[in-house]
Amino acid sequence: KFLPVGSTHTYKIECELYHTETGSFTVTEGGNGVVIEKQLRPAYGFMNVTSQPESGAVVFINNKKVGVTPYKSGKMASGTYDVKVVKEMFGTKEQKFTVNDGQTTEAVLNMNAHFVDVTITTDALSEIYVDEVYVDKGSWMGRLTEGTHVIEARKDKHYSSYKEVNVVLGKNLTITVDAPNPMCGFLEISSSPLRADVYIDGQHYGQTPKVI
């Protein structure tokens, strides 16, 4: 830009995520003119978000979902941020962290577990249901949240067995559910002539008339 000799001017250099630079200069006669060179200072940093004791928590920064732990941000304007991590069966954790110029902030959030580890066993051929949801057959290891749960063992042509358990945080459980009882009826067998031998599935049950 051509400017009158002897004139004084101010300047400002702006760029997103960098500190603004300002100053002034006077145009002098002769020479190669005025040259201004500035190395802009970064006004950004980075943030690494980690959840403990487990990863895989959803990360929110200033209430915006950005990813899951372990999370590494791109450039973030220097300043203070609200960081929140959310994961099923854990208490939500929220904390403030500050991002400084040219630095990486390590945001470590400790989440409280809202579950206990549970082992359930029953008859090997029975299906296990927890709160009406099928989980496995014979035995199951998993997590249950605090509170009351209904454990059921189901088997075809059998009466289901139930057990109600109260889960208390900090106390792991081993639960045994009784095997389902078979549904039984009566079979009355008669024949003509009488005193015929009765076999059921190859097993001899006596002679007619017979009630089994």
Side-chain angles (χ1 to χ4, degrees):
K1 185 177 181 65
F2 291 99
L3 297 170
V5 171
S7 58
T8 299
H9 305 270
T10 60
Y11 67 86
K12 179 166 66 174
I13 308 171
E14 292 180 322
C15 184
E16 186 178 6
L17 295 179
Y18 289 86
H19 289 287
T20 298
E21 293 286 350
T22 61
S24 63
F25 64 91
T26 300
V27 179
T28 59
E29 187 174 1
N32 296 319
V34 178
V35 177
I36 298 173
E37 293 183 354
K38 287 289 183 181
Q39 180 69 39
L40 298 184
R41 295 176 296 113
Y44 65 84
F46 302 89
M47 183 183 292
N48 296 335
V49 182
T50 305
S51 59
Q52 294 183 347
E54 293 184 5
S55 59
V58 180
V59 180
F60 294 84
I61 297 179
N62 289 349
N63 290 322
K64 180 181 179 181
K65 182 179 177 181
V66 295
V68 298
T69 57
Y71 169 77
K72 293 185 177 182
S73 76
K75 293 179 180 179
M76 298 176 64
S78 299
T80 301
Y81 294 86
D82 288 317
V83 181
K84 179 171 64 176
V85 287
V86 179
K87 187 174 184 179
E88 186 179 7
M89 292 195 173
F90 286 86
T92 298
K93 183 71 173 181
E94 189 169 0
Q95 195 171 334
K96 291 183 181 295
F97 293 92
T98 299
V99 174
N100 298 308
D101 294 351
Q103 297 182 10
T104 299
T105 299
E106 297 294 338
V108 180
L109 295 99
N110 295 299
M111 309 177 72
N112 294 323
H114 284 184
F115 65 87
V116 299
D117 292 317
V118 176
T119 300
I120 301 173
T121 58
T122 187
D123 170 66
L125 297 178
S126 297
E127 297 177 338
I128 299 172
Y129 286 76
V130 178
D131 299 329
E132 296 293 333
V133 176
Y134 172 77
V135 292
D136 212 333
K137 180 179 285 189
S139 64
W140 176 73
M141 295 179 64
R143 294 171 170 176
L144 291 180
T145 56
E146 183 180 23
T148 301
H149 299 270
V150 177
I151 315 300
E152 179 185 2
R154 297 182 187 178
K155 191 175 183 180
D156 186 38
K157 297 179 182 177
H158 287 66
Y159 295 104
S160 295
S161 296
Y162 297 87
K163 179 168 285 189
E164 187 176 279
V165 295
N166 185 38
V167 173
V168 179
L169 294 183
K171 184 179 180 181
N172 293 338
L173 293 176
T174 298
I175 302 166
T176 301
V177 182
D178 294 336
N181 292 317
M183 298 177 179
C184 297
F186 294 92
L187 179 64
E188 183 176 349
I189 304 172
S190 61
S191 68
S192 179
L194 299 177
R195 303 191 63 78
D197 287 307
V198 177
Y199 292 86
I200 299 176
D201 293 335
Q203 180 178 346
H204 186 248
Y205 280 82
Q207 295 181 325
T208 61
K210 187 73 175 178
V211 176
I212 301 172

